[in-house]
Amino acid sequence: SKGGMMGIETKFKFKSKAASLLVGVSMLAMSSTASGLETLPEDKSMSGMKIELVGRDDLWTYKSCDNYNESPLTKSYVDAGKLPPVNERMPKEPWMAKTDQMVDGIGEYGGTFRHVIGGRPEGFNWLAGQSQGWGGINIQLMESLTRLGPLWQIKPDEANPLPNLAKDWEWSSDRKSLTMNLIEGARWSDGDIFDTEDIDFWWNDNVQDANVASRLPKDALGAGTTLEILGPYSFKFNFDEPKGNAVLAQLAYMGGAPGPSHVMKPLHPAHNSDATYESYANGMPASVLPIVTLGAYVPVVHKVDELMVMKRNPYYWKVDEECNQLPYYNETIYKLTSWDDRTTQALAGTGDFSNMENPGNYVEALKQNKDPNSPVKSVFGTRLIAWDLMMNLSSDFGVSSDYERELRQLFRNVEFRKAISHAMDRDTMGQSVARGPFFHPHAGGFVAGSPFHNFEDSIYYGYNASGANSILDGLGLKDSDGNGIRNLPNGGADLVIDILHSSTRSTDIKLADAAVSMFEAIGIKPVLKPSDNTDAFTDNGNWSMFIAREHWVVATKNIGDRLPTTTQNPAWHRDNGGDLLPFEETLVEKAKGILATNDLSEVASLARDIQRVRTENVYTVGLIQAPAALLINKRIKNNHPGAPVYMYEWAEDGVMRERLYTPKADQLDEFLPGVLAEYK
Ligand code: GLA
């Protein structure tokens, strides 16, 4: 019935005392909508895996050797006089992988590691937020101050960010300053020393320069934060207020990755009067190789839409316990095709690695598991990936007409967002992607596999099309011209709404397709807008609704990507200065609380508050959540069992690729044998 709010069944199902605190708030909301307040149905994990957790010092340390060993490939360059001897290329105390946690032990040099990806390198200036094509390229190039990926293996009470370029740090007793010490004497791939000049440039000319679209937005560590350089290898952050370990999580991939200041500083407008911010952002184009990096491999060949070849970095600052310089592979290659192809090729054995996150392939993968000759085995983990429908909550940013301005006001109305959530039939959506037990409904925010998620905290406005219709009626959105489409109030325009989605990710496409009839059932006309670069839209604000992968697992990580802790984030509410909704202010307060504490139980409790506020207010409309499986070819050794596709970071970091290797007999021929990056 469209007869108004009385027709909707109102259910309360409180499972915890905490959730019942929300009654007061929701009763107010009820007066206009009578939308049921339920929590997300419980679900069993599909993963039966037990992982043996270790201590934070068990994976690696920093230690010097009297003499280092190197690959025959770099040795040939030393012999030819093109590189200094390995002992001179290493830092004072290299990062050293511990053999105990390398399941197949010390590796063998040589061979190639084949990736297949769906992304394309935009450029290499990660300082200015450019993407290198994802699927592992970024992670491989952007070495960061701290590291999160391997934390899935660490005992929860020790699971604070791990050292990487910053080898240790110390908080002042009032926690208003943090002193960090860099690894000493590590070098960029062209031999230049990595030191606090790079940190100074990263922070002052990129992060804190609002004209640069850095991954860590201005003020992400709190307004008033300043950087003090103490020496070539040590620096200090000074904060306005006490902070905690969550700050360290913001300094991991991607926010805390410095770039080569000796290359980029001369191109930055603050240091070059001929430069513009645009010329700076494009200062390391994808077509000019090799680039300078601290990563294990250096891109040397890029054939557009075909291939990227990366060769070992002769200055890489990591070793194993036998003093062998890492990595073990001479080369990694990235075939530039599609994300689905990544899984297809991993299953076929022509690619070595895939995060199987496209559930359309799951059934096939499970079948293949029964074949002992299959090149990979798929092991499903907990539900860690999810898809949401986002509505653009900015009042003005990217608005190009009065109609859009009115739409944005609708999106900012929680009753409208609840109606959209009630319109989404998650079961049908899930089945349209893959038949079988793979999906569970999602309420947005933390996914079920997150240690920060409790089902009773996820307020869920489940499928109820007639309820959705009643809410929309109540908002005055009637079909005033009788053409089957609701109009804006007072005989306004038809409710025709763009839905942005990726044109290169099969799950996103299927979900958007499935949503069409669900929108029609509530009198809204959706117009699908597929794009191979959805970032471009979220960057300029020119979008209305957006269906995309969106999953939060770790409360301390990327807080700014998920909550409006800066004016530039999250993607669905950019340029939010003075524009925040009251519940967003609450979220910001909670987020600040996470950044300000060193008490993990307080983080957990704040995360629970965030999940309740976020889902009750339908910050984003959660759609479905699924487990994923990591596919790594059996030739590849040291792949630690149980590595999740995504938890603290993508598996590309979680498996610690610098330690992977293939025994000599099974190594594949390199695409470019005998070659290393050479700089003029
Ligand atoms: C893309 C892929 C993910 C993962 C990341 C790594 O987003 O879809 O599976 O490989 O890149 O950055």
Side-chain angles (χ1 to χ4, degrees), residues 77 136 207 211 236 238 264 306 389 395 405 496 499 511 560:
Y77 269 62
V207 177
N211 299 306
K236 190 171 166 182
N238 294 307
M264 298 312 289
E306 262 183 62
L389 182 150
S395 297
R405 196 175 308 279
V496 178
I499 303 182
L511 290 175

Side-chain angles (χ1 to χ4, degrees), residues 134-136 139 253 339 342 355 357 505 549 645 650 652:
W134 311 114
I139 292 174
Y253 172 80
W339 296 112
R342 172 172 74 169
N355 297 330
E357 60 195 357
R505 294 184 181 274
R549 207 178 57 199
V645 165
W650 288 103
E652 285 92 334

Side-chain angles (χ1 to χ4, degrees), residues 115-119 133-139 253-254 339 342 353-357 385 505 549 551 645-646 649-653 657:
H115 294 76
V116 176
I117 63 171
W134 311 114
I137 304 187
N138 296 37
I139 292 174
Y253 172 80
M254 297 191 276
W339 296 112
R342 172 172 74 169
F353 182 101
S354 181
N355 297 330
M356 193 167 53
E357 60 195 357
I385 54 173
R505 294 184 181 274
R549 207 178 57 199
H551 35 194
V645 165
Y646 182 83
E649 194 37 82
W650 288 103
E652 285 92 334
D653 189 36
R657 279 182 305 171

Side-chain angles (χ1 to χ4, degrees), residues 424-488:
M424 297 294 117
D425 176 356
R426 277 88 170 170
D427 289 340
T428 299
M429 283 184 152
Q431 292 303 313
S432 80
V433 176
R435 302 226 172 266
F438 300 114
F439 294 104
H440 195 68
H442 184 43
F446 293 111
V447 281
S450 159
F452 296 93
H453 183 261
N454 299 284
F455 283 96
E456 66 212 50
D457 297 335
S458 284
I459 310 297
Y460 177 52
Y461 303 98
Y463 182 47
N464 176 356
S466 67
N469 274 314
S470 305
I471 294 175
L472 297 176
D473 289 348
L475 292 172
L477 302 164
K478 309 256 160 138
D479 177 11
S480 51
D481 53 9
N483 68 352
I485 304 170
R486 290 175 186 276
N487 294 72
L488 286 174

Side-chain angles (χ1 to χ4, degrees), residues 17 69 199 210 251 470 561:
K17 196 171 155 229
N69 308 309
I199 300 300
L251 301 178
S470 305
D561 293 344

Side-chain angles (χ1 to χ4, degrees), residues 137-173:
I137 304 187
N138 296 37
I139 292 174
Q140 210 158 61
L141 293 174
M142 300 170 69
E143 293 276 355
S144 300
L145 290 168
T146 62
R147 188 171 186 180
L148 299 178
L151 283 175
W152 65 271
Q153 239 191 299
I154 308 289
K155 295 176 189 140
D157 55 336
E158 297 183 29
N160 277 316
L162 297 163
N164 193 47
L165 288 170
K167 75 190 240 278
D168 51 48
W169 47 81
E170 202 184 334
W171 289 95
S172 62
S173 54

Side-chain angles (χ1 to χ4, degrees), residues 93-347:
E93 291 181 319
W95 177 107
M96 185 182 278
K98 295 203 174 167
T99 322
D100 262 4
Q101 287 305 317
M102 291 162 63
V103 284
D104 300 303
I106 300 282
E108 295 176 32
Y109 282 125
T112 193
F113 186 118
R114 303 162 306 169
H115 294 76
V116 176
I117 63 171
R120 299 291 181 270
E122 193 185 352
F124 291 107
N125 191 359
W126 59 82
L127 284 166
Q130 282 189 325
S131 140
Q132 291 85 70
W134 311 114
I137 304 187
N138 296 37
I139 292 174
Q140 210 158 61
L141 293 174
M142 300 170 69
E143 293 276 355
S144 300
L145 290 168
T146 62
R147 188 171 186 180
L148 299 178
L151 283 175
W152 65 271
Q153 239 191 299
I154 308 289
K155 295 176 189 140
D157 55 336
E158 297 183 29
N160 277 316
L162 297 163
N164 193 47
L165 288 170
K167 75 190 240 278
D168 51 48
W169 47 81
E170 202 184 334
W171 289 95
S172 62
S173 54
D174 62 1
R175 285 192 283 108
K176 284 170 84 173
S177 72
L178 170 70
T179 302
M180 301 190 95
N181 300 307
L182 298 175
I183 180 167
E184 290 185 28
R187 289 167 194 274
W188 293 92
S189 56
D190 62 353
D192 196 83
I193 288 275
F194 163 69
D195 56 18
T196 45
E197 225 184 298
D198 299 304
I199 300 300
D200 185 14
F201 179 63
W202 158 74
W203 178 261
N204 287 311
D205 291 328
N206 293 279
V207 177
Q208 289 302 91
D209 184 335
N211 299 306
V212 178
S214 53
R215 294 283 171 189
L216 190 66
K218 184 174 182 341
D219 293 338
L221 303 186
T225 303
T226 58
L227 174 77
E228 195 182 327
I229 301 294
L230 303 174
Y233 300 112
S234 88
F235 62 92
K236 190 171 166 182
F237 285 115
N238 294 307
F239 308 107
D240 264 6
E241 294 165 344
K243 299 281 176 196
N245 287 328
V247 160
L248 295 163
Q250 317 312 305
L251 301 178
Y253 172 80
M254 297 191 276
S261 64
H262 62 293
V263 178
M264 298 312 289
K265 204 167 168 173
L267 307 180
H268 190 286
H271 306 277
N272 176 344
S273 52
D274 293 333
T276 64
Y277 281 99
E278 205 189 327
S279 69
Y280 170 68
N282 295 315
M284 249 199 282
S287 53
V288 182
L289 300 180
I291 59 136
V292 175
T293 173
L294 288 168
Y297 299 89
V298 185
V300 294
V301 167
H302 173 206
K303 294 188 181 169
V304 175
D305 286 338
E306 262 183 62
L307 187 72
M308 174 110 83
V309 183
M310 294 167 75
K311 302 301 295 192
R312 58 180 316 122
N313 171 0
Y315 289 92
Y316 201 49
W317 39 283
K318 300 192 179 183
V319 298
D320 66 23
E321 279 188 316
E322 291 182 2
C323 306
N324 301 306
Q325 186 186 30
L326 296 175
Y328 295 118
Y329 292 105
N330 281 339
E331 182 183 275
T332 55
I333 63 171
Y334 289 82
K335 292 182 206 163
L336 307 177
T337 61
S338 72
W339 296 112
D340 278 327
D341 191 37
R342 172 172 74 169
T343 296
T344 307
Q345 294 214 34
L347 291 171

